Amino acid sequence: MNTPSGVPVVGMVGAGQLARMTHQAAIALGQSLRVLAVRSDEPAALVTPDVVMGSVDDLDALRAFARGCDAVTFDHEQVPQEQLRALVEAGVAVRPGPDALLHAQDKLVMRRRLADLGVPVPPFAEVTSVADVKAFAADHGWPVVLKAVRGGYDGRGVWMLDGPDPVLIEELLAAGTPLMVEQAVAMRRELAAQVARSPFGQAAAWPVVETVQEDGQCVQVLVPAPDLAEETALAAQQLALRVAAELDVTGLLAVELFETDAGLVVNELAMRPHNSGHWTIEGSRTSQFEQHLRAVLDYPLGATTPTAPAVVMANVLGAKVTPEMSVDERVHHLFARFPDVKVHLYGKAERPARKVGHVTVLGTELAAVRERAALAAEWLSTAVWSDGWSPHDAAAAAAAPTERGERNV
């Protein structure tokens, strides 16, 4: 223990919204979270007192950051392997370790390892030339999915090709972008199975969720995944637990899945808190952020039981045109209409399609919960109620006499 009070210090590389929400969980546990930030205005750097400024490419900065930490973990995967291995050699408890994290950093490494384990993945191939894409399509048909092997997220670094696109492929290769190609999966929907695993080997799984995507970006998470057969949900959880054990993951693992007519197919892996798990802050007995801290410190893991029959998380995305109404005023109006909606804003400047926050709604009927979450997220994004609701109409209704002659105040 490295603080005067004996409180453990967890270092999180990165200071985005995941680190910000992890900091909130650390406070409740009496822990101290240190973040490595590139800029002082990053979401976690705005709220966390223990901030070290530095880049993941600077080994000296990483060593200074890790000094005194009981464990070092991540809110993103973009840390060079050589830096991670240098920290491990220096005795730092890096969780997850570099051997595990590599599978979340490199899609080709991940695909090859999962295929070797017999885990269902789409047919894939490395791309070093336009000819590789053409040969793959000759075997598997068009369309195909071209992916950057490293660095892509939220639809970035992914290109759906209906035919050869030599200009795009050659430009990417010339820029030094490692590429792979996959068969386009005919899927019913996208799911996510999230688990946590400690160095001791204890593991825990949350309910399988449906992630609703638009333009390659998650807009909603539905909990539990509606109309998912119990045996399919159990298979998804067991798959995620097996992958976590086989790759020796410590901390969180999110397995993004395609549900197809033939069964489940793995799309991506993330070894950190994940957008598909934000619902757990209010919707689970233990949030993903608390669980991640427990796991990397090798504490016993917490219960993952949902707190309501239906939970929906909706991302708040920057609007095409930023509203004139301030964010604070939008929050004020939202609470006036939906006082039970939980709001999480990340302290990020608004710009089109940028994740600036999320809302969570709990209830008993998924359809009603989902409608409220969608309305709330859209209002915070655009300052427009898409169903035409007006606070003036609501005020008039509240002031109108009831059948007993009383006012609704």
Side-chain angles (χ1 to χ4, degrees), residues 151-203:
Y153 68 98
D154 285 345
R156 299 173 180 87
V158 178
W159 301 269
M160 185 71 72
L161 302 184
D162 293 318
D165 191 339
V167 174
L168 171 65
I169 297 167
E170 289 173 353
E171 285 182 351
L172 290 168
L173 291 172
T177 305
L179 296 173
M180 61 181 288
V181 63
E182 291 185 348
Q183 184 180 46
V185 175
M187 62 176 170
R188 298 174 183 169
R189 56 178 170 173
E190 294 192 43
L191 305 172
Q194 193 174 29
V195 300
R197 182 173 177 273
S198 70
F200 180 75
Q202 185 188 11

Side-chain angles (χ1 to χ4, degrees), residues 195-214:
V195 300
R197 182 173 177 273
S198 70
F200 180 75
Q202 185 188 11
W206 283 272
V208 177
V209 305
E210 178 178 346
T211 61
V212 181
Q213 312 285 327
E214 292 180 6

Side-chain angles (χ1 to χ4, degrees), residues 83-173:
Q83 315 290 50
L84 295 175
R85 295 183 186 281
L87 292 180
V88 171
E89 289 174 5
V92 177
V94 176
R95 295 175 177 165
D99 289 340
L101 192 62
L102 179 61
H103 297 87
Q105 295 177 323
D106 189 305
K107 294 179 176 62
L108 196 56
V109 169
M110 180 264 290
R111 284 282 185 264
R112 287 169 172 161
R113 179 67 185 280
L114 293 185
D116 287 344
L117 293 172
V119 173
V121 296
F124 66 94
E126 185 176 8
V127 172
T128 59
S129 68
V130 176
D132 291 333
V133 177
K134 291 180 178 178
F136 184 85
D139 291 335
H140 300 283
W142 301 98
V144 300
V145 183
L146 185 71
K147 290 185 175 182
V149 169
R150 289 174 171 265
Y153 68 98
D154 285 345
R156 299 173 180 87
V158 178
W159 301 269
M160 185 71 72
L161 302 184
D162 293 318
D165 191 339
V167 174
L168 171 65
I169 297 167
E170 289 173 353
E171 285 182 351
L172 290 168
L173 291 172

Side-chain angles (χ1 to χ4, degrees), residues 298-389:
D298 212 8
Y299 287 5
L301 301 180
T304 54
T305 312
T307 59
V311 184
V312 175
M313 186 283 298
N315 281 318
V316 178
L317 304 177
K320 291 181 180 178
V321 178
T322 301
E324 293 184 6
M325 183 184 294
S326 71
V327 174
D328 181 64
E329 190 173 357
R330 278 175 263 164
V331 171
H332 181 101
H333 285 293
L334 173 63
F335 287 159
R337 182 178 184 186
F338 295 140
D340 63 317
V341 170
K342 297 299 183 181
V343 174
H344 297 265
L345 298 175
Y346 305 153
K348 297 165 69 172
E350 296 176 86
R351 63 171 182 252
R354 188 186 199 191
K355 290 178 187 174
V356 295
H358 73 267
V359 298
T360 307
V361 184
L362 285 68
T364 55
E365 299 293 334
L366 180 63
V369 172
R370 186 177 182 182
E371 181 181 16
R372 287 161 68 83
L375 285 168
E378 185 177 19
W379 166 257
L380 288 176
S381 173
T382 65
V384 173
W385 292 111
S386 59
D387 63 349
W389 183 84

